[in-house]
Amino acid sequence: MDRLTHLDSAGRVRMVDVGEKPLTRRVAVAEGRIRMRRATLEAIRDGEIEKGEALAVARIAAIQGAKTASALVPLCHPIPLDAVDVELEAVKALPGYRLRVRASAEWRTGVEMEALAGVAAGLLALYDMCKAIDRGMSMGPIRLLEKRGGRSGTWTAEPEE
């Protein structure tokens, strides 16, 4: 196992110094799912959510979540993101939605936390938009699918079974 870079030689938590690292193109893709009653899926599709456009709010929340990852995760560096792309797909078999976030930046450290935070925020917003009609929705798993750039290169998740 690689050593934990967020610990100093005495085992104390620290924020990693990335100041000497070169700027490189960084990309990360993460996804998560929200399961709901079929009637809730249909209400979203038919635009019948009382609070408004549930999918539009989820997209905006996902972007905002990616942009504010460092405010949520204590040792995460603030990163000037170049782009955050959000995909929302209805999955009738769940029933529910799959939300995917792709974050990218030209920076000294990766954007995995930004992609993951974006997914979490987007799913939470979709839950919030629909909770009046379906409090039993469940979210997860949330996982990193891919990361590119930096010293460690490219990593891709194993397919789900």
Side-chain angles (χ1 to χ4, degrees), residues 91-110:
V91 181
K92 291 181 183 179
L94 282 175
Y97 278 87
R98 179 187 57 81
L99 190 150
R100 185 173 286 182
V101 172
R102 179 185 181 276
S104 62
E106 184 89 13
W107 202 240
R108 294 177 173 92
T109 189

Side-chain angles (χ1 to χ4, degrees), residues 28 30 59 62-63 83-87 99-104:
R59 283 182 208 286
I63 293 167
V84 177
D85 300 310
V86 179
E87 294 176 23
L99 190 150
R100 185 173 286 182
V101 172
R102 179 185 181 276
S104 62

Side-chain angles (χ1 to χ4, degrees), residues 55-128:
L55 299 180
V57 171
R59 283 182 208 286
I60 292 167
I63 293 167
Q64 189 66 29
K67 289 169 52 178
T68 59
S70 66
L72 299 170
V73 183
L75 300 178
C76 180
H77 291 82
I79 295 178
L81 293 172
D82 295 329
V84 177
D85 300 310
V86 179
E87 294 176 23
L88 269 162
E89 176 187 14
V91 181
K92 291 181 183 179
L94 282 175
Y97 278 87
R98 179 187 57 81
L99 190 150
R100 185 173 286 182
V101 172
R102 179 185 181 276
S104 62
E106 184 89 13
W107 202 240
R108 294 177 173 92
T109 189
V111 292
E112 299 92 350
M113 297 310 299
E114 288 70 17
L116 289 162
V119 170
L123 293 175
L124 286 169
L126 193 52
Y127 182 96
D128 181 55

Side-chain angles (χ1 to χ4, degrees), residues 36 39-49 54-55 97 126 130 133 137:
M36 57 190 60
T40 307
L41 182 66
E42 291 168 4
I44 294 169
R45 180 197 64 208
D46 297 340
E48 297 173 353
I49 302 300
L55 299 180
Y97 278 87
L126 193 52
C130 302
I133 61 171
M137 292 176 284

Side-chain angles (χ1 to χ4, degrees), residues 10 12 24 47 63 91 140 142 144:
R12 293 179 302 240
T24 61
I63 293 167
V91 181
I142 295 172
L144 183 68

